[in-house]
């Protein structure tokens, strides 16, 4: 089964807590602080792997957690950082944030890596807070939480040639003849419900990949049937081979089929119409093919298309078809651009970001910097609280609050906690 979309939940490792420790040495009654820092939490990294073809592994396991950092220790010993978790994904995988639908990464090359969930920073030990006036700090920082997010992995297959066409025109049969693929083949619509890949060997060191794109129908660009699922894969092919049933065995006009499919491609993404495309007239062995063959060939040649005639049943025209495909793709580079997405890569909030506003005559101070500061501060410890106040003053936050009318005895809400302001 071909799996091309997977939703997974990621949790990066938490940073280790800083240590509170003091030197305990013989003949030294007043040893100074020597609590070490906690280790950084492990990050979750996605790595492109050319050996993978599907997202099947993520179908059965959907929760991933990186290792936490170890806490700091005495004697200024740092905690060990958590090990990063590396998840291998196929080349051509698009990574989106599930909640915002923003693109986080587009993995195009083997070995390419992207940090999707960054591990939390380790907390500082009490040795870091020693100053000339505070020689024995009895507080340390807890480790920072790692990023947690839900991401959507979307695989757009990368192939040299994509076989397109209406259902039951013979795409799967041609793929099985040209390559080593063994797709399911039968005489009814939508035999192929997921794309099949096949490697075609032309000669030594001359090969290319074909993707048999499942049958398209009118309205596919609007999502009718499995339209968007099918069209998604066409975006990452370098060239197209449009297969027509020239016998009209399904009761359809081959030229109308051709125009309908190309219209769906254009409506879904105008750039798809710019891909190199040759036309393959299949089923020429059927007697009724003579009714359509010449008029269709004449019309499409007028439009500038290269026309090939083949029979998957008798193998007539297969070798010229193979060489025509090779000539079309041998000098083309894979098109890895994500046509339907604009990059809006995540940028973590600046640590110093905060907001001050007044609501019902009460000042509020909020933002990522404040949230992090409140999380790291033990408000029940006098020294930690004093450090918290001095940090607000050094960052200019107290000055801004006073400029907005904060006076002695007023209430102020910092983060989610209400304080009474005292100089």
């Amino acid at each position: 089964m071909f799996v091309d979309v997977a939703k997974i939940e990621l949790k990066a490792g938490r940073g280790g807590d800083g240590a509170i420790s003091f030197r305990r040495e013989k003949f030294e009654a007043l040893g100074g602080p020597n609590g070490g820092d906690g280790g950084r939490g492990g990050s979750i990294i996605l790595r492109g792997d050319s050996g993978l073809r599907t997202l099947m592994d993520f179908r059965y396991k959907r929760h991933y957690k990186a290792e936490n950092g170890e806490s700091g220790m005495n004697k200024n010993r740092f905690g060990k950082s958590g090990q990063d978790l590396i998840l291998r994904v196929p080349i051509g995988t698009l990574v989106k944030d599930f909640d915002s639908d923003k693109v986080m990464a587009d993995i195009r090359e083997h070995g390419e890596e992207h940090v999707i969930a960054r591990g939390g920073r380790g907390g500082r030990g009490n040795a870091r807070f020693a100053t000339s006036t505070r020689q024995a700090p009895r507080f340390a920082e807890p480790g920072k939480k790692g990023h947690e997010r839900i991401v959507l992995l979307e695989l757009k297959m990368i192939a040299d040639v994509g076989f397109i066409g209406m259902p039951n025109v013979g795409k799967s049969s041609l793929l099985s003849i040209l390559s080593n693929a063994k797709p399911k083949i039968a005489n009814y619509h939508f035999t192929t419900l997921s794309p099949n890949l096949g490697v075609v060997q032309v000669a030594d060191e001359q090969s290319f990949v074909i993707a048999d794109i499942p049958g398209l129908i009118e309205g596919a660009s609007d999502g009718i049937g499995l339209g968007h699922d099918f069209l998604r894969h066409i975006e990452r092919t370098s060239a197209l081979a449009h297969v027509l049933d020239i016998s009209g065995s399904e009761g359809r006009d081959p030229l109308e089929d051709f125009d309908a499919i190309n219209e769906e491609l254009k409506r879904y993404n105008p750039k798809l119409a710019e891909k190199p495309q040759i036309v393959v007239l299949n089923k020429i062995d059927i007697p009724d093919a003579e009714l359509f063959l010449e008029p269709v060939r004449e019309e499409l040649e007028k439009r500038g298309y290269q026309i090939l005639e083949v029979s998957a049943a008798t193998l007539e025209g297969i070798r010229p078809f193979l060489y025509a495909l090779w000539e079309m793709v041998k000098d083309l580079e894979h098109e890895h651009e994500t046509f339907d997405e604009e990059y809006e890569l995540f940028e973590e909030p600046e640590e110093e970001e905060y907001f001050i506003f007044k609501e019902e005559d009460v000042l509020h101070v909020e933002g990522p910097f404040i949230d992090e500061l409140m999380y790291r501060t033990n408000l029940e410890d006098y020294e930690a609280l004093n450090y918290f106040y001095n940090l607000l003053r050094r960052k200019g936050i107290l000055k801004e609050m006073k400029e907005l009318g904060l006076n002695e005895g007023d209430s102020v809400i910092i983060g989610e906690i209400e304080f009474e302001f005292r100089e």
Side-chain angles (χ1 to χ4, degrees):
M1 177 180 178
F2 186 91
V3 178
D4 62 355
V5 176
K7 174 185 171 186
I8 58 176
E9 297 183 20
L10 308 178
K11 184 176 182 180
R14 180 180 180 275
D17 296 336
I20 301 175
S21 175
F22 296 91
R23 296 207 312 271
R24 296 288 186 267
E25 298 178 12
K26 192 175 182 179
F27 307 120
E28 188 168 353
L30 299 174
N34 68 351
D37 298 348
R40 172 175 284 277
S43 298
I44 299 180
I45 301 170
L46 296 187
R47 176 187 292 167
D49 190 326
S50 59
L52 299 177
R53 290 289 182 268
T54 74
L55 296 170
M56 180 66 76
D57 291 346
F58 299 101
R59 183 180 180 85
Y60 302 110
K61 183 179 179 182
R62 299 188 178 182
H63 299 269
Y64 296 87
K65 185 179 184 302
E67 190 176 56
N68 293 333
E70 292 183 356
S71 296
M73 295 166 280
N74 61 0
K75 299 183 179 179
N76 289 310
R77 291 179 295 172
F78 287 11
K80 181 181 177 182
S81 293
Q83 186 172 358
D84 293 336
L85 177 61
I86 297 178
L87 304 179
R88 299 182 302 124
V89 297
I91 296 173
T93 299
L94 193 70
V95 186
K96 295 181 179 179
D97 179 76
F98 182 77
D99 295 322
S100 68
D101 205 38
K102 289 183 179 179
V103 176
M104 302 181 67
D106 186 4
I107 299 177
R108 309 176 182 186
E109 298 177 0
H110 178 75
E112 180 180 348
E113 292 187 348
H114 292 271
V115 178
I116 302 301
R118 193 171 298 280
R121 192 180 67 194
R124 291 177 290 179
N126 69 335
R128 295 287 194 121
F129 297 97
T131 65
S132 59
T133 57
R134 184 177 57 234
Q135 297 183 6
R138 298 184 179 277
F139 65 93
E141 289 178 331
K144 185 178 180 181
K145 291 182 179 179
H147 295 160
E148 297 183 35
R149 55 175 47 118
I150 301 173
V151 301
L152 191 68
L153 304 180
E154 183 179 283
L155 175 61
K156 297 187 178 182
M157 289 194 316
I158 297 176
D160 297 288
V161 180
F163 278 5
I164 61 173
M166 287 287 188
N168 205 29
V169 295
K171 298 187 301 296
S172 296
S173 297
L174 290 172
L175 175 67
S176 67
I177 293 167
L178 291 172
S179 73
N180 56 1
K182 293 180 175 59
K184 182 179 179 183
I185 300 170
N187 189 29
Y188 52 87
H189 290 178
F190 297 109
T191 302
T192 308
L193 294 180
S194 60
N196 292 301
L197 284 176
V199 178
V200 180
Q201 187 77 29
V202 181
D204 290 342
E205 298 184 359
Q206 293 182 348
S207 62
F208 59 96
V209 178
I210 294 176
D212 165 23
I213 309 298
L216 300 175
I217 59 175
E218 275 193 271
S221 59
D222 296 322
I224 294 177
L226 297 177
H228 284 176
D229 291 335
F230 295 164
L231 287 162
R232 180 185 298 121
H233 300 288
I234 301 175
E235 290 184 296
R236 290 275 174 107
T237 58
S238 299
L240 302 175
H242 198 143
V243 183
L244 298 178
D245 175 2
I246 199 61
S247 72
S249 61
E250 294 288 314
R252 299 191 306 261
D253 183 294
L255 199 55
E256 291 179 0
D257 283 358
F258 179 83
D259 291 334
I261 291 295
N262 277 293
E263 181 62 27
E264 294 302 322
L265 298 184
K266 189 182 299 183
R267 289 181 61 193
Y268 178 74
N269 189 330
K271 290 188 178 182
L272 294 181
E274 301 173 7
K275 290 182 179 292
Q277 183 177 153
I278 64 174
V279 182
V280 187
L281 308 182
N282 189 27
K283 304 186 182 181
I284 60 173
D285 57 296
I286 298 177
D288 289 345
E290 295 179 3
L291 299 174
F292 296 101
L293 193 59
E294 287 307 317
V296 170
R297 168 182 278 280
E298 185 177 342
E299 174 61 27
L300 294 181
E301 284 181 342
K302 278 184 188 177
R303 302 185 194 180
Y305 290 100
Q306 180 184 359
I307 310 299
L308 294 159
E309 300 175 14
V310 302
S311 168
T314 66
L315 305 186
E316 183 179 350
I318 292 297
R319 296 304 293 179
F321 177 34
L322 185 152
Y323 293 129
L325 292 176
W326 172 247
E327 287 298 319
M328 181 171 62
V329 303
K330 67 179 183 179
D331 296 323
L332 292 177
E333 293 185 3
H334 272 304
E335 186 63 79
H336 294 298
E337 180 185 358
T338 308
F339 294 134
D340 62 336
E341 308 291 346
E342 290 186 5
Y343 279 93
E344 296 185 62
L345 297 181
F346 270 89
E347 294 183 4
E348 298 304 328
E350 293 292 333
E351 187 175 338
E352 304 299 321
E353 189 176 354
Y354 62 87
F355 311 96
I356 303 177
F357 61 94
K358 182 175 285 189
E359 185 176 27
E360 297 180 356
D361 295 326
V362 177
L363 279 180
H364 293 253
V365 186
E366 297 180 358
F369 171 68
I370 296 299
D371 292 341
E372 180 65 16
L373 183 59
M374 296 298 291
Y375 171 73
R376 288 173 170 268
T377 303
N378 179 5
L379 299 178
E380 297 180 359
D381 182 88
Y382 173 77
E383 289 185 337
L385 192 59
N386 193 47
Y387 176 78
F388 168 76
Y389 174 82
N390 288 331
L391 188 59
L392 294 181
R393 178 173 51 78
R394 289 201 306 272
K395 296 294 183 184
I397 297 175
L398 283 181
K399 181 180 178 182
E400 292 184 44
M401 292 162 64
K402 290 178 181 179
E403 290 174 352
L404 290 174
L406 182 66
N407 297 309
E408 184 83 10
D410 287 350
S411 292
V412 57
I413 298 177
I414 302 178
E416 298 180 351
I417 299 178
E418 185 172 353
F419 297 84
E420 182 177 327
F421 177 63
R422 297 291 180 187
E423 284 283 6

